[in-house]
Amino acid sequence: MRIIYFFLLIAIITCCSSENTQIKEIEKKDTVLSAPTNHKKITPDKMPVPIGGIEGIKSRLVYPYTAKHIRKGGKVIIKTYIDDYGDVQKTEIVQGIGYGCDEAAEKAIKGTKFIPGKHNGKYVKCIISIPILFQPVAYIY
């Protein structure tokens, strides 16, 4: 009987120690994932500017049919990541109004080339937020 208890005790200790190692491995992974990056956050001397200005973005903007039909309007704010060559790398919708307007604003911004931002005379990657205003047209019957 004592032998059975002995083997049972060894089995329990082995299981507990393997769970502890798994927990320690998970904790190590979490600390690695939460480690800070080496990127410096700077404010550029000159912010990126769309070539053609805001009118260049507006010329690429297509008002979605659904939004136009129900006269949906509002402001869509797009966070835009611009590299040091002036190309749009990715976009994120910060504030949207739906009905296809968010996607239309993203598409218009992605199709725009920018003059990149500068810091100490060098071109740098930047993140800017661009507001796009959708105004419904009033119909006269």
Side-chain angles (χ1 to χ4, degrees), residues 41-42 44 47-48 78-83 90 92 124-130:
K41 293 185 180 181
I42 56 169
M47 293 300 286
I78 306 289
K79 184 190 276 188
T80 309
Y81 295 81
I82 301 167
D83 66 6
K90 78 176 187 178
E92 294 176 10
V124 292
K125 297 177 182 180
C126 295
I127 302 171
I128 60 172
S129 294
I130 302 174

Side-chain angles (χ1 to χ4, degrees), residues 12 15 28 51 57 74 105 118 140:
I12 291 172
C15 289
K28 285 181 186 176
I51 295 176
I57 296 174
K118 278 188 175 183
I140 300 174

Side-chain angles (χ1 to χ4, degrees), residues 21-117:
T21 17
Q22 289 175 351
I23 291 171
K24 287 178 184 175
E25 288 176 11
I26 291 172
E27 288 174 355
K28 285 181 186 176
K29 288 180 184 176
D30 288 342
T31 55
V32 169
L33 291 176
S34 63
T37 59
N38 293 331
H39 298 292
K40 294 180 183 177
K41 293 185 180 181
I42 56 169
T43 304
D45 301 330
K46 188 174 180 184
M47 293 300 286
V49 178
I51 295 176
I54 295 297
E55 294 302 320
I57 296 174
K58 285 183 181 179
S59 68
R60 291 177 184 80
L61 190 63
V62 178
Y63 207 126
Y65 175 77
T66 309
K68 190 186 295 185
H69 183 69
I70 65 167
R71 297 186 191 128
K72 179 69 176 174
K75 185 175 14 176
V76 176
I77 300 175
I78 306 289
K79 184 190 276 188
T80 309
Y81 295 81
I82 301 167
D83 66 6
D84 47 349
Y85 296 106
D87 298 322
V88 176
Q89 293 301 310
K90 78 176 187 178
T91 58
E92 294 176 10
I93 300 169
V94 176
Q95 175 186 338
I97 58 174
Y99 299 99
C101 295
D102 308 340
E103 292 80 12
E106 270 188 312
K107 187 176 179 181
I109 290 172
K110 284 182 180 178
T112 304
K113 179 83 172 166
F114 286 78
I115 298 170

